[in-house]
Amino acid sequence: MPDPVPVDPTISDADFQKFREFFYRKTGIQFDLSKRYFVDKRLVERIEATGTGSFRGYFTLLRFQVNGEELQALTNLMTVNETYFFREEYQFQCLVNSVLPEIVARKTDRRPVRLWVMPSSSGEEPYSIAIYLLERWAGIHHWDVEIIASDIDTRILAQARQGLYSTRSVQHLPARYLQQYFERRADGYQICDDLRQSVEFTRVNLAERTDTRPYRDFDVIFCRNLLIYFDDVSRKTATETFYDILKPGSFIFLGHSESMSRSSSLYKVRKFPEAIVYQRPLEER
Amino acid sequence: MKRILIVDDAATVRLYHREILETANYAVEEAMNGIEALEKALQSPFDLYLVDINMPKLDGYGFLRELRGQDLPQAPAIMISTEAQANDEQRAYIAGANIYLIKPVKPDRLLTQVRLLLGDVYR
Amino acid sequence: MPLIKSQTAEPVTEEARKSARDCAGLVAQLADANPTARRWAARDLADCPNAAAVLLDHLKREPEVSVREVILTTLTALGDETAVAGLVDCLRSEDAALRNEAIEAMRQLPDAMAPIMRGLLADQDPDVRIFAVNILESLCHPDVETWLIEVIDCDPHVNVCGTAVDLLGEVGSMQARESLLRLKARFANEPYIRFAADLALERLRDA
């Protein structure tokens, strides 16, 4: 039997700086000194969970693990991946005030505007977008819109189709929206039938060429808080896949702590009043 | 306080330049490649850019070309390279650099150039 | 309420594959005028024999950056000897973007890179040696520290050493201590080397 690893989960100042630089390089997330306690606490938690015994042992695992699983676990701990209605609402504002007007101004046909939400997760995001378009985008009276939401996880897709949410999940919604688009249930709120019919949920593994190949001609992709959990290669492959799913000149939204700078150089960085969005260039050679 | 963006993929180089510039009372932010630098510049433009040439995703030339094409108040840029070939320097100026320096940069030389470009009198 | 319609029950276009995905057909499509066709060919070629040679040959002529990116991704997935040799050649390219793409690709191939790493780190061209050190930045291989120590012990070029010492701050152990001290003495007139070596020394902690 191997000797138990001596446990010394202290994080020195130099350790913190070293970790901070590594994590920033990998994820784009920068922790300043005010986050020291938050970061140390989670590092200690992972040092204990992995049995690596010390910061040095743990950091070596993080830096040299080929499949990147530990970095993924740690990123999960370091970021808030809670989902709820109207989370990061400024992006929806950007969609209706800036992005969609630009898209329809360029359109030369009457075909629907197509939005892809990947990952769908339990549905809060695609339904939020549907509500936002109905309530805040005048263009909805002139254009048909298709919303397709996909996820790799079939159980979560079933949950999304059912559309049943806790009080906490809908707490940021104005009361009128809650009344109009939800039905009160004993254990929370359920999305009304009309709205549930208006979002199409499909199962897609982003890493499978055969899964993603049929997806094309989209005007907008929402891919929030997914790529940050991928390793470098998967992240690059995913953004290359999105490139062919989008029409030239179309847009992709990433999560608020994510940056295309860790994934791909293919997209144009566009600054709108509400947010930074990435655009597939209009022209190529 | 004037704001400077350091764009370099090497953490130690960023820290080295940061300490030099902060000692001279400049406010410093960092980016590790051209795309991140562009995102930061678009969010809030800087008074000066200190840019490495070789970086992943979007290199220094690409960053400066993109930056110069934006509807932003244009600020001076110093391009820094590890290479000493003449055509690198030429390319840096074409991309929009104002000054070209070879790594490793001595602290007083960096400060002299920064102050010159920002029109700051010697303090 | 205004309806948001899904136009079809099957929301995505089930477009029939334009041509058979046979390997000869894919090679031909690499020359297609449409970049989308070229990108898909570069992806699907991953399943074909001799793909690396074909892709490398095309890489030199490909004008569209998005196609080049996909070629690099496929070469990374292949990771065979031909692919790696082609990626190494890219390090000598005048095109900074291509060099950086190749460096990123090679970082993902620790097993293929390990046997040739020492050769690259001893290349005649200091720029190639710097790029070789850049590859080590994210390479998941147990010899990374050893290679870096050899660089700061032997390399005459200040920027090759400067790049290596930056990484030693991350992966260095007490094994690197003596070499870092020697490096500081060797480049006593370079403030950057002094700064970087001190920073790395501060971050060493015995395993």
Side-chain angles (χ1 to χ4, degrees), chain B residues 9-13 15-16 19 53-57 59 61 81-83 85 87 91 102-104 106-107, chain C residues 94-97 99-100 104 107 127 130-131 134 137 157-159 165-166 189-192 195-196 199 203:
Chain B
D9 57 337
T12 309
V13 177
L15 197 58
Y16 173 70
E19 292 200 354
I53 289 184
N54 276 299
M55 291 180 291
K57 304 299 180 200
D59 62 35
Y61 302 123
S81 172
T82 52
E83 292 139 287
Q85 296 128 339
N87 62 344
R91 266 191 272 175
I102 304 283
K103 278 187 187 178
K106 298 268 200 303
Chain C
E94 280 290 291
D95 180 344
R99 278 190 325 241
N100 288 315
E104 285 189 73
R107 284 174 179 164
D127 285 336
I130 289 174
F131 301 145
N134 285 151
E137 182 226 80
H157 197 292
V158 61
N159 283 320
V165 75
D166 169 50
N189 292 325
E190 279 299 347
Y192 171 71
F195 177 89
L199 188 72
R203 290 180 181 184

Side-chain angles (χ1 to χ4, degrees), chain A:
Chain A
M1 235 172 71
D3 291 332
V5 183
V7 176
D8 170 26
T10 54
I11 317 288
S12 71
D13 292 351
D15 293 342
F16 176 76
Q17 292 299 344
K18 183 154 100 171
F19 169 73
R20 201 171 89 105
E21 281 165 13
F22 173 80
F23 197 69
Y24 165 64
R25 188 176 84 219
K26 287 295 187 185
T27 66
I29 297 174
Q30 253 168 327
F31 293 117
D32 58 33
L33 273 174
S34 68
K35 288 278 170 64
R36 175 74 192 265
Y37 175 76
F38 169 91
V39 170
D40 280 15
K41 200 164 163 263
R42 279 152 187 81
L43 283 174
V44 170
E45 190 180 326
R46 291 311 299 168
I47 290 168
E48 281 162 3
T50 52
T52 41
S54 65
F55 174 80
R56 179 162 192 95
Y58 179 69
F59 189 76
T60 304
L61 173 71
L62 206 57
R63 165 64 181 75
F64 288 99
Q65 189 180 44
V66 176
N67 66 19
E69 269 174 14
E70 184 50 35
L71 182 60
Q72 186 178 348
L74 184 68
T75 309
N76 253 308
L77 269 184
M78 293 288 186
T79 53
V80 184
N81 41 26
E82 187 191 16
T83 170
Y84 48 84
F85 280 85
F86 282 25
R87 182 180 178 194
E88 288 155 32
E89 188 183 349
Y90 66 94
Q91 294 200 330
F92 304 139
Q93 288 166 353
C94 184
L95 176 72
V96 299
N97 295 337
S98 303
V99 166
L100 286 176
E102 184 172 322
I103 285 169
V104 297
R106 211 170 35 230
K107 271 176 87 70
T108 52
D109 56 37
R110 294 295 310 162
R111 288 163 66 187
V113 174
R114 309 183 75 220
L115 279 74
W116 194 34
V117 182
M118 174 76 204
S120 134
S121 188
S122 36
E124 287 89 339
E125 195 167 303
Y127 290 132
S128 289
I129 292 170
I131 295 171
Y132 226 85
L133 292 180
L134 291 168
E135 291 289 337
R136 311 267 179 98
W137 187 47
I140 196 73
H141 304 295
H142 311 289
W143 296 94
D144 289 332
V145 177
E146 285 180 60
I147 302 177
I148 294 150
S150 307
D151 208 287
I152 191 172
D153 182 344
T154 50
R155 282 168 312 169
I156 211 142
L157 282 167
Q159 214 178 307
R161 285 192 194 99
Q162 196 193 7
L164 190 60
Y165 300 99
S166 67
T167 313
R168 186 185 157 82
S169 174
V170 299
Q171 64 181 340
H172 297 286
L173 287 175
R176 189 175 67 74
Y177 295 179
L178 209 53
Q179 208 173 10
Q180 184 157 357
Y181 300 107
F182 292 79
E183 278 155 38
R184 188 86 177 101
R185 298 279 182 250
D187 46 353
Y189 292 87
Q190 186 172 27
I191 296 278
C192 68
D193 279 352
D194 274 358
L195 206 59
R196 278 199 289 152
Q197 298 310 319
S198 67
V199 178
E200 187 73 37
F201 291 97
T202 63
R203 191 217 169 257
V204 169
N205 178 353
L206 204 44
E208 276 295 333
R209 268 179 282 156
T210 45
D211 277 13
T212 56
R213 204 190 300 272
Y215 286 69
R216 58 184 65 181
D217 291 335
F218 278 87
D219 295 289
V220 178
I221 294 176
F222 274 82
C223 181
R224 308 198 300 180
N225 310 308
L226 177 71
L227 298 181
I228 201 167
Y229 304 107
F230 283 15
D231 62 50
D232 296 347
V233 176
S234 315
R235 204 181 285 152
K236 181 167 186 277
T237 311
T239 43
E240 286 167 7
T241 301
F242 290 147
Y243 192 88
D244 276 314
I245 288 172
L246 287 168
K247 290 177 191 160
S250 296
F251 296 90
I252 177 163
F253 287 85
L254 300 181
H256 76 288
S257 55
E258 294 175 306
S259 156
M260 199 57 98
S261 65
R262 298 299 184 277
S263 309
S264 169
S265 53
L266 297 181
Y267 296 84
K268 213 169 135 60
V269 185
R270 288 286 304 274
K271 166 88 173 98
F272 292 108
E274 306 86 357
I276 281 194
V277 189
Y278 303 93
Q279 182 179 30
R280 174 176 164 178
L282 261 171
E283 288 172 29
E284 42 189 32
R285 277 170 280 181

